[in-house]
Amino acid sequence: MPKRGETSTIMSDKSTSSKAPAATATETPQVSLPPRKIYSIVKYGDPVLEKPGAPVKKFDAELEELAEDMFASMYAAQGVGLAAPQIGKSMRFAVVDVTGGKNPEAKIVLANPEVTHAEGEVREEEGCLSIPGFRGYVVRPQFVTVKAQNVKGEPFEIRGENLLARAFCHEIDHLNGILFLQHLGMLKRDMIKRKIKKLRKQGEW
Ligand SMILES: [Zn+2]
């Protein structure tokens, strides 16, 4: 995921999930809120990251729980986006918040998202919670329009610019089994893969 703190514009908040603030790993949950499950994040090498997720069909209380747990897990890992395959669930479901939990209005739940329009190009460094410690420059659209369903199954459209557009594209890639490594040049990609292989041999991955 892109780093926090870069500029972005949220052009619509129609997708904003529940207004209740999510509990994070570092803060005591309010009495009225259930404690959040913090998922461990699946790392590169797990096949779940490289296969397309199944469409979300059931929009129920369980999905709402999953969304809030994913926000909590994402904040705990200091990410700005988290896709269901990254917690081992092969489904077309992701959460995004480029404010890192500072603004509850910026919480975006994406079920079955699709990019319907893209414009411009920005080359920026990008990372991924599933590939910790590695970053690389990836060209992404400057503006995107995404069509998705919210946690209740209601369709909506949202536009994103810069970091938000990048986060949408990165997360939607995850739902298609694509990692940012695939957008890098061959040399850079092979170097990262070699280093990960070495880390794995040393039991550090
Ligand atoms: Zn990622």
Side-chain angles (χ1 to χ4, degrees):
M1 262 309 27
K3 240 189 213 157
R4 271 187 212 162
E6 292 167 48
T7 50
S8 69
T9 313
I10 294 160
M11 307 189 72
S12 161
D13 63 358
K14 277 182 206 140
S15 67
T16 300
S17 70
S18 126
K19 296 279 190 282
T24 69
T26 51
E27 116 197 342
T28 314
Q30 288 170 25
V31 186
S32 59
L33 292 172
R36 287 292 153 213
K37 180 174 164 68
I38 305 297
Y39 284 97
S40 51
I41 292 167
V42 169
K43 281 187 184 169
Y44 175 73
D46 190 313
V48 74
L49 291 174
E50 292 178 80
K51 72 172 193 186
V56 180
K57 288 182 180 154
K58 242 169 93 183
F59 295 87
D60 54 6
E62 204 179 306
L63 191 71
E64 290 190 32
E65 282 290 301
L66 176 64
E68 289 307 321
D69 290 343
M70 282 174 67
F71 277 116
S73 305
M74 178 184 83
Y75 298 140
Q78 304 204 323
V80 297
L82 183 66
Q86 294 183 277
I87 56 163
K89 295 181 188 291
S90 191
M91 54 198 276
R92 306 187 71 78
F93 192 66
V95 298
V96 170
D97 178 356
V98 294
T99 73
K102 287 192 189 83
N103 175 11
E105 299 285 322
K107 290 167 71 182
I108 299 162
V109 173
L110 300 171
N112 306 319
E114 271 173 63
V115 173
T116 55
H117 181 77
E119 219 180 299
E121 280 188 356
V122 181
R123 187 172 179 269
E124 190 54 79
E125 222 183 16
E126 192 170 311
C128 178
L129 293 177
S130 294
I131 313 172
F134 297 97
R135 300 178 67 78
Y137 281 89
V138 177
V139 176
R140 299 280 193 189
Q142 187 182 0
F143 302 95
V144 291
T145 305
V146 171
K147 190 179 85 177
Q149 284 164 282
N150 68 14
V151 78
K152 297 195 187 299
E154 298 156 350
F156 69 95
E157 221 175 50
I158 185 165
R159 294 229 317 143
E161 185 183 352
N162 296 326
L163 177 62
L164 188 59
R166 180 169 297 272
F168 286 155
C169 293
H170 182 110
E171 299 315 322
I172 292 171
D173 267 0
H174 271 302
L175 309 186
N176 293 321
I178 295 167
L179 299 167
F180 85 89
L181 295 182
Q182 279 162 261
H183 295 290
L184 303 178
M186 208 169 62
L187 282 178
K188 175 85 176 173
R189 184 171 61 231
D190 288 349
M191 188 194 74
I192 293 177
K193 285 186 176 176
R194 260 201 320 276
K195 285 184 178 169
I196 292 174
K197 215 173 175 180
K198 202 170 151 199
L199 285 172
R200 200 179 286 132
K201 269 187 195 150
Q202 295 164 343
E204 290 167 24
W205 188 260

Coordinates of all heavy atoms in Angstrom, one line a residue, residues 70-100:
M70 N -11.4 -5.7 9.3 CA -10.3 -5.4 8.3 C -9.8 -4.0 8.4 O -8.6 -3.7 8.3 CB -10.9 -5.6 6.9 CG -10.9 -7.1 6.5 SD -11.7 -7.4 4.9 CE -10.5 -6.7 3.8
F71 N -10.7 -3.0 8.7 CA -10.2 -1.7 9.0 C -9.2 -1.7 10.2 O -8.2 -1.1 10.2 CB -11.4 -0.7 9.3 CG -12.1 -0.1 8.1 CD1 -13.4 -0.4 7.8 CD2 -11.4 0.7 7.3 CE1 -14.0 0.1 6.7 CE2 -12.0 1.3 6.1 CZ -13.3 1.0 5.9
A72 N -9.7 -2.4 11.3 CA -8.8 -2.4 12.5 C -7.5 -3.1 12.2 O -6.4 -2.6 12.6 CB -9.6 -3.2 13.6
S73 N -7.5 -4.2 11.4 CA -6.3 -4.9 11.0 C -5.4 -4.0 10.2 O -4.1 -4.0 10.3 CB -6.6 -6.2 10.3 OG -7.5 -7.0 11.0
M74 N -6.0 -3.2 9.3 CA -5.3 -2.3 8.4 C -4.6 -1.2 9.2 O -3.4 -0.9 9.0 CB -6.2 -1.8 7.3 CG -5.6 -0.8 6.4 SD -6.9 -0.1 5.3 CE -7.5 1.2 6.3
Y75 N -5.4 -0.6 10.1 CA -4.8 0.5 10.9 C -3.6 -0.1 11.8 O -2.6 0.6 12.0 CB -5.8 1.1 11.9 CG -7.0 1.8 11.1 CD1 -8.3 1.7 11.6 CD2 -6.7 2.6 10.0 CE1 -9.3 2.3 10.9 CE2 -7.8 3.2 9.3 CZ -9.1 3.1 9.8 OH -10.1 3.7 9.1
A76 N -3.8 -1.3 12.3 CA -2.8 -1.9 13.2 C -1.5 -2.1 12.4 O -0.4 -2.0 12.9 CB -3.3 -3.2 13.7
A77 N -1.6 -2.4 11.1 CA -0.5 -2.6 10.2 C 0.0 -1.3 9.6 O 0.9 -1.3 8.8 CB -0.8 -3.6 9.2
Q78 N -0.7 -0.2 9.9 CA -0.4 1.1 9.3 C -0.5 1.2 7.8 O 0.3 1.8 7.1 CB 1.0 1.6 9.7 CG 1.2 1.6 11.3 CD 2.2 2.5 11.7 OE1 3.3 2.7 11.1 NE2 2.0 3.2 12.8
G79 N -1.5 0.5 7.3 CA -1.7 0.5 5.8 C -2.8 1.5 5.5 O -3.5 2.0 6.4
V80 N -3.0 1.8 4.2 CA -4.1 2.6 3.7 C -5.1 1.8 2.9 O -6.1 2.4 2.4 CB -3.6 3.9 3.0 CG1 -2.7 4.7 3.9 CG2 -2.8 3.4 1.7
G81 N -4.9 0.5 2.8 CA -5.8 -0.3 2.1 C -5.6 -1.8 2.5 O -4.4 -2.1 2.8
L82 N -6.6 -2.6 2.5 CA -6.4 -4.0 2.8 C -7.5 -4.8 2.0 O -8.7 -4.4 2.0 CB -6.6 -4.3 4.3 CG -6.3 -5.7 4.8 CD1 -4.9 -6.1 4.6 CD2 -6.7 -5.8 6.2
A83 N -7.0 -5.8 1.3 CA -7.9 -6.6 0.5 C -8.1 -8.0 1.2 O -7.2 -8.5 1.8 CB -7.3 -6.8 -0.9
A84 N -9.3 -8.5 1.0 CA -9.6 -9.8 1.7 C -8.6 -10.9 1.4 O -8.3 -11.6 2.4 CB -11.0 -10.2 1.3
P85 N -8.1 -11.1 0.2 CA -7.1 -12.1 0.0 C -5.9 -12.0 0.9 O -5.2 -13.0 1.3 CB -6.7 -12.0 -1.5 CG -7.9 -11.4 -2.1 CD -8.4 -10.4 -1.1
Q86 N -5.6 -10.8 1.4 CA -4.4 -10.5 2.3 C -4.7 -11.0 3.7 O -3.7 -11.1 4.5 CB -4.1 -9.0 2.3 CG -3.6 -8.5 1.0 CD -3.3 -7.0 1.1 OE1 -4.1 -6.1 1.1 NE2 -2.0 -6.7 1.4
I87 N -5.9 -11.4 4.0 CA -6.1 -12.1 5.3 C -6.6 -13.5 5.0 O -7.3 -14.1 5.8 CB -7.1 -11.3 6.2 CG1 -8.5 -11.0 5.5 CG2 -6.5 -10.0 6.6 CD1 -9.6 -10.6 6.4
G88 N -6.3 -14.0 3.8 CA -6.6 -15.4 3.5 C -8.0 -15.7 3.0 O -8.4 -16.8 2.9
K89 N -8.8 -14.6 2.7 CA -10.1 -14.8 2.2 C -10.2 -14.4 0.8 O -10.1 -13.3 0.4 CB -11.1 -13.9 3.1 CG -11.2 -14.4 4.5 CD -12.2 -13.5 5.3 CE -12.2 -13.7 6.8 NZ -12.7 -15.0 7.2
S90 N -10.4 -15.4 -0.1 CA -10.4 -15.2 -1.5 C -11.8 -14.7 -2.0 O -12.6 -15.4 -2.5 CB -10.1 -16.5 -2.2 OG -9.8 -16.2 -3.6
M91 N -12.0 -13.4 -1.7 CA -13.3 -12.8 -2.1 C -13.0 -11.3 -2.6 O -12.0 -10.7 -2.2 CB -14.3 -12.8 -1.0 CG -13.8 -12.2 0.4 SD -14.8 -12.7 1.8 CE -16.2 -11.5 1.6
R92 N -13.9 -10.8 -3.4 CA -13.8 -9.5 -4.0 C -14.3 -8.4 -3.0 O -15.3 -7.8 -3.2 CB -14.5 -9.4 -5.3 CG -14.1 -10.5 -6.3 CD -14.6 -10.3 -7.7 NE -14.0 -9.2 -8.4 CZ -12.8 -9.2 -8.9 NH1 -12.1 -10.3 -8.9 NH2 -12.4 -8.2 -9.5
F93 N -13.4 -8.2 -2.0 CA -13.8 -7.3 -0.9 C -12.6 -6.6 -0.4 O -11.5 -7.3 -0.1 CB -14.5 -8.2 0.2 CG -15.2 -7.4 1.3 CD1 -16.3 -6.6 0.9 CD2 -14.7 -7.3 2.6 CE1 -17.0 -5.9 1.9 CE2 -15.4 -6.6 3.6 CZ -16.5 -5.9 3.2
A94 N -12.6 -5.3 -0.2 CA -11.5 -4.6 0.3 C -11.9 -3.3 1.1 O -13.0 -2.9 1.0 CB -10.6 -4.1 -0.9
V95 N -11.0 -2.9 1.9 CA -11.2 -1.6 2.6 C -10.1 -0.6 2.3 O -9.0 -1.1 2.1 CB -11.4 -1.8 4.2 CG1 -12.6 -2.7 4.5 CG2 -10.1 -2.4 4.8
V96 N -10.4 0.7 2.3 CA -9.4 1.7 2.0 C -9.7 2.9 2.9 O -10.8 3.2 3.2 CB -9.6 2.2 0.5 CG1 -8.8 3.4 0.3 CG2 -9.2 1.1 -0.5
D97 N -8.6 3.4 3.5 CA -8.7 4.7 4.2 C -7.4 5.4 4.1 O -6.4 5.0 4.8 CB -9.1 4.4 5.7 CG -9.2 5.7 6.5 OD1 -8.9 6.8 5.9 OD2 -9.5 5.7 7.7
V98 N -7.3 6.4 3.3 CA -6.0 7.0 3.1 C -5.7 8.0 4.2 O -4.6 8.6 4.2 CB -5.9 7.7 1.7 CG1 -5.9 6.7 0.6 CG2 -6.9 8.7 1.4
T99 N -6.6 8.2 5.1 CA -6.3 9.1 6.3 C -5.7 8.3 7.5 O -5.4 8.8 8.5 CB -7.5 9.9 6.8 OG1 -8.4 9.0 7.5 CG2 -8.2 10.5 5.6
G100 N -5.6 6.9 7.3 CA -5.1 6.1 8.4 C -5.9 6.1 9.6 O -5.4 6.0 10.7

